[in-house]
């Protein structure tokens, strides 16, 4: 299963210290705005999400951070040699155009993808290579 997150109205919290990536969830995340994602778009478009997913965001002077919590219940996330791994995809529309966006995907096996979506979702260009 692939979980896609489309974030339109998530207010990121400014935190000048930035976030440390040490495996621990910093206490600052407790005061952040969050959204509950209840839709998924694969394998069935606009279907009810299988797992409750919470998304939060923080930014500092140079970076934008996301905390994504997925409640898998008793199941384990899927990570298979066939490449059918669970992944998270974030679409960011900095101009609020609702027709163009940058996308960032992260897989459980560590693979990352990014690109630009244009023409109201008709064109996906993965040749754009961001640094992240």
């Amino acid at each position: 299963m692939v979980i896609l997150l489309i974030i339109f109205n998530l207010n990121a919290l400014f935190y000048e210290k930035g976030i440390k990536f040490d495996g621990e969830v910093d206490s600052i995340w407790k005061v952040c705005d969050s959204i509950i994602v209840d839709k998924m778009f694969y394998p069935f478009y606009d279907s009810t999400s299988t797992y409750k997913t919470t998304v939060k965001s923080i930014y500092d002077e140079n970076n934008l951070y996301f905390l994504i919590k997925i409640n898998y219940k008793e199941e384990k996330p899927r990570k298979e040699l066939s490449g059918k791994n669970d992944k998270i995809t974030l679409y960011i529309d900095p101009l609020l155009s609702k027709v163009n966006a940058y996308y960032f995907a992260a897989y459980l096996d560590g693979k990352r993808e990014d690109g630009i979506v244009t023409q109201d979702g008709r064109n996906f260009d993965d040749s754009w290579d961001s640094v992240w």
Side-chain angles (χ1 to χ4, degrees):
M1 177 192 59
V2 175
I3 301 171
L4 298 175
L5 303 178
I6 300 176
I7 301 173
F8 292 111
N9 294 313
L10 177 62
N11 295 316
L13 176 70
F14 180 74
Y15 184 56
E16 63 185 47
K17 293 182 181 180
I19 299 297
K20 290 189 302 184
F21 291 94
D22 56 7
E24 300 294 323
V25 177
D26 295 353
S27 60
I28 190 67
W29 289 106
K30 292 178 183 175
V31 297
C32 291
D33 187 21
S34 65
I35 61 171
I36 305 295
V37 178
D38 61 356
K39 296 288 183 185
M40 64 181 178
F41 296 89
Y42 184 86
F44 304 106
Y45 180 78
D46 204 23
S47 57
T48 302
S49 181
T50 309
Y51 310 108
K52 179 182 173 184
T53 304
T54 304
V55 181
K56 296 182 177 200
S57 183
I58 289 177
Y59 69 100
D60 61 24
E61 193 171 307
N62 299 306
N63 303 292
L64 178 61
Y65 307 92
F66 290 94
L67 175 67
I68 302 169
K69 289 186 172 185
I70 302 170
N71 182 359
Y72 278 102
K73 301 176 186 170
E74 302 298 318
E75 297 181 40
K76 291 186 177 182
R78 190 169 65 183
K79 181 178 170 186
E80 301 174 0
L81 291 175
S82 67
K84 295 182 179 182
N85 299 321
D86 284 344
K87 74 174 179 178
I88 298 293
T89 303
L90 294 170
Y91 292 87
I92 300 176
D93 178 6
L95 302 177
L96 303 176
S97 68
K98 297 189 179 179
V99 293
N100 302 312
Y102 300 97
Y103 71 88
F104 304 88
Y107 293 78
L108 289 177
D109 62 3
K111 178 182 171 190
R112 296 181 290 190
E113 295 176 343
D114 53 46
I116 299 175
V117 181
T118 58
Q119 300 175 1
D120 202 17
R122 290 186 292 275
N123 183 33
F124 279 74
D125 181 358
D126 63 359
S127 66
W128 180 70
D129 193 20
S130 69
V131 179
W132 63 300

